Amino acid sequence: MSRVRRTPPRGWSGLRAAFTLLGLAASPILSGCIIGTERPDLNLEIADSYRAAPKGGADAAVPAVDWWRGFRSSELTMLMDAAQLHNLDIAVAMAQIIQADAQVGVSGAALLPTLTGTANAERQKQSSANSIVSGQGVGGTTFNTFQTGLTASYMLDFWGKNRAALYAAEENASAARYNREVVTLTAIVTVANTYFQVLAAQDQLRVTRENLAAAQRILDLIKKQFNGGTASQLDVSQQEALVATQRAAIPPLEVTVGQNIAALALLVGRAPEKFAVHGGSTRNIAVPRVTPGLPSELLYQRPDIRQAEAQLAASNFSVESARAAFFPQIQLTGTTGFQSATLASLFTPGAWFYTLTASLTQPIFDGFLLESQLKQAKGVQLQDLQAYRKAVLSAFADVEKALIALQKFTQQERLQQDVVNASRQAFDVAEKQLNGGTVNLITVLQTEQTLFTAENNLVLVRLNKLLAASSLFQALGGGWTPGGTLASIE
């Protein structure tokens, strides 16, 4: 292009050529001026409040970015930080962002002119026979050709086909970023749930071992009574069966602890053989207080909804691009350069040449290819529309279910604690009376089994309450903000 401006053109024809090539570079400004509107009606049903939400809690704050710190477990916080840094699913999602950004560049390339530089040097010798015929003498003719050139081409995007494709790629890149937040939120919630399951299994192990010790004490008392003639062999056998049952319940719980620790190792990107979890008890885990806010706010709080929204926007632009393919396409091509028989005179004014081409292509019959591509794009658009609607309704349902579960399991925990307290008191009394020989053995066995069952049920209720709390944070999009920022690693 710069050579064209430096070389004196021949009259107005050369001047027009120079302006044409300049216009070719500026043509993206004039292209893409016609983009249709392919925006289907979302038709969303949004309630004013959640049915299971606490009264007066509509204006309360949404979960904190680092909501897991509210459980007041330093080990859980450490696992959360490690998962955000080393989880392999998150790493895959980040790699998909790189691919989506690259696709934006691929789609955007069609909106810019392509420039190609060439340089050729050719030496040719004609045959002797050809030289005689042409009167150039025997022996033929040898000559050189030197050429440099610059070719520019551009597809005028007057109907907005390429620009719509670029917008679709940009929306897909946004969807990839939202997907990364979805994967991250899923990963950290899975870390929390798995950790809670480790704690619950450890609680059950402690309860089972305590129950085993209590059952063994009762068995020793029954054996003494059997030796004294006040208990039967049936009584001894029944208690031995109960002791064996408690002892057999320990290995499955140890399996649960070990497998969940191995699952945690995978979630934080560590080898299970070199990974350990101290654990503790579900009794030491606090449940942070959180209220859901308004249902309409959930459309911005949840990254999966934003992802579905971006995918729907991308499919809208894809429909526009497919529709624009039915219209004529205008291709502009310009070539300029220098050509000479000698290298010394290659860049002289007389060696300059140019070629300008404008072509228009209108599809007439393509075997219904464009029509089928448009139908396919519309099908994807309809699919993404329904997926977006489902994502919104699923989000509302997730919050409602988590609120109900947290409320009811909190209530059940209080009631189950009363059951454990009463069962513990009954068993202590029965054990003392058995030691004094003033109680029926059947009563002792019944109170013993009631206590064992009540304590195990209490552990399960506490686990369910913790799982409901983490589900509520996930349902509300906890750990993510509309700006797409997760909790920073300290």
Side-chain angles (χ1 to χ4, degrees):
M1 298 296 294
S2 59
R3 289 176 180 170
V4 174
R5 289 194 293 271
R6 287 199 304 266
T7 304
R10 294 183 178 179
W12 287 104
S13 61
L15 186 60
R16 285 196 300 269
F19 279 115
T20 301
L21 290 175
L22 288 174
L24 186 63
S27 57
I29 302 176
L30 303 176
S31 64
C33 57
I34 301 177
I35 295 183
T37 56
E38 296 287 347
R39 302 292 186 271
D41 185 11
L42 298 180
N43 193 22
L44 295 176
E45 181 181 359
I46 301 177
D48 295 332
S49 62
Y50 296 104
R51 179 179 300 177
K55 300 300 182 181
D59 298 329
V62 297
V65 174
D66 53 349
W67 52 269
W68 52 85
R69 297 180 185 273
F71 289 105
R72 299 178 186 176
S73 170
S74 58
E75 187 172 43
L76 176 60
T77 300
M78 178 192 67
L79 292 171
M80 291 291 199
D81 294 344
Q84 292 186 68
L85 286 174
H86 306 296
N87 182 268
L88 298 179
D89 290 332
I90 298 176
V92 170
M94 294 177 67
Q96 292 172 343
I97 293 177
I98 297 175
Q99 299 176 48
D101 289 342
Q103 185 60 45
V104 172
V106 171
S107 300
L111 293 172
L112 300 175
T114 59
L115 299 176
T116 305
T118 59
N120 296 317
E122 183 181 49
R123 182 177 179 84
Q124 182 177 355
K125 182 180 182 301
Q126 292 184 344
S127 68
S128 301
N130 186 53
S131 299
I132 293 174
V133 173
S134 59
Q136 296 174 349
V138 180
T141 302
T142 301
F143 58 91
N144 301 324
T145 302
F146 301 94
Q147 178 177 323
T148 62
L150 181 66
T151 301
S153 63
Y154 181 72
M155 179 69 72
L156 190 62
D157 192 31
F158 186 77
W159 308 106
K161 175 179 179 292
N162 295 332
R163 189 164 296 277
L166 173 61
Y167 290 159
E170 290 175 344
E171 292 295 343
N172 283 327
S174 298
R177 283 169 168 76
Y178 292 131
N179 177 67
R180 190 256 183 187
E181 309 302 338
V182 172
V183 171
T184 302
L185 180 57
T186 302
I188 61 178
V189 169
T190 304
V191 168
N193 291 343
T194 307
Y195 184 70
F196 295 152
Q197 289 171 352
V198 170
L199 299 184
Q202 290 177 334
D203 282 342
Q204 286 182 306
L205 273 172
R206 281 189 290 269
V207 169
T208 302
R209 290 186 175 118
E210 291 173 0
N211 291 339
L212 176 60
Q216 187 64 51
R217 290 197 310 268
I218 299 298
L219 177 60
D220 294 339
L221 290 175
I222 294 176
K223 285 183 176 180
K224 289 181 180 179
Q225 292 179 353
F226 175 74
N227 294 332
T230 59
S232 67
Q233 181 61 47
L234 177 61
D235 298 331
V236 175
S237 299
Q238 286 179 332
Q239 188 62 26
E240 286 178 340
L242 184 58
V243 170
T245 301
Q246 293 297 319
R247 186 175 290 111
I250 293 177
L253 296 174
E254 293 175 337
V255 169
T256 301
V257 172
Q259 290 182 342
N260 280 305
I261 291 177
L264 280 174
L266 176 61
L267 289 170
V268 299
R270 295 279 304 279
E273 294 78 10
K274 299 181 180 180
F275 181 79
V277 173
H278 179 267
S281 173
T282 55
R283 291 179 301 225
N284 300 329
I285 302 296
V287 176
R289 182 179 180 274
V290 60
T291 49
L294 298 175
S296 57
E297 297 172 350
L298 199 63
L299 302 181
Y300 301 95
Q301 293 171 198
R302 292 212 5 173
D304 59 334
I305 295 180
R306 302 298 297 273
Q307 179 188 5
E309 182 182 11
Q311 290 173 336
L312 175 59
S315 63
N316 292 339
F317 286 120
S318 295
V319 171
E320 294 176 358
S321 179
R323 188 182 300 280
F326 285 87
F327 297 99
Q329 299 183 14
I330 302 174
Q331 177 79 33
L332 304 179
T333 304
T335 302
T336 184
F338 298 90
Q339 185 177 25
S340 176
T342 60
L343 187 61
S345 61
L346 179 61
F347 296 103
T348 59
W352 178 63
F353 74 94
Y354 70 87
T355 302
L356 300 176
T357 305
S359 62
L360 184 145
T361 304
Q362 171 62 56
I364 297 177
F365 179 75
D366 57 1
F368 305 103
L369 174 63
L370 295 179
E371 182 179 356
S372 298
Q373 289 175 340
L374 178 59
K375 289 181 179 179
Q376 182 185 30
K378 286 186 174 182
V380 174
Q381 181 190 45
L382 180 60
Q383 173 183 321
D384 291 340
L385 173 62
Q386 304 304 335
Y388 176 74
R389 290 172 176 168
K390 181 180 179 180
V392 173
L393 295 179
S394 297
F396 295 154
D398 290 343
V399 175
E400 289 284 3
K401 291 188 293 185
L403 286 171
I404 294 172
L406 183 58
Q407 178 184 357
K408 296 305 179 181
F409 284 129
T410 300
Q411 180 182 1
Q412 185 183 8
E413 182 187 19
R414 292 194 300 265
L415 298 175
Q416 189 63 33
Q417 185 64 58
D418 294 338
V419 174
V420 171
N421 294 338
S423 300
R424 171 67 63 182
Q425 184 177 5
F427 176 71
D428 291 341
V429 172
E431 186 177 7
K432 291 178 181 178
Q433 292 180 351
L434 177 64
N435 196 22
T438 60
V439 68
N440 189 309
L441 187 58
I442 296 178
T443 303
V444 176
L445 295 177
Q446 289 176 343
T447 57
E448 184 180 12
Q449 292 178 339
T450 300
L451 176 61
F452 296 168
T453 303
E455 289 181 330
N456 275 319
N457 288 341
L458 179 59
V459 173
L460 294 177
V461 170
R462 285 174 177 162
L463 173 61
N464 289 333
K465 185 182 75 169
L466 292 175
L467 296 179
S470 63
S471 297
L472 180 58
F473 284 115
Q474 183 179 20
L476 294 174
W480 179 83
T481 61
T485 303
L486 283 161
S488 59
I489 306 299
E490 298 180 356

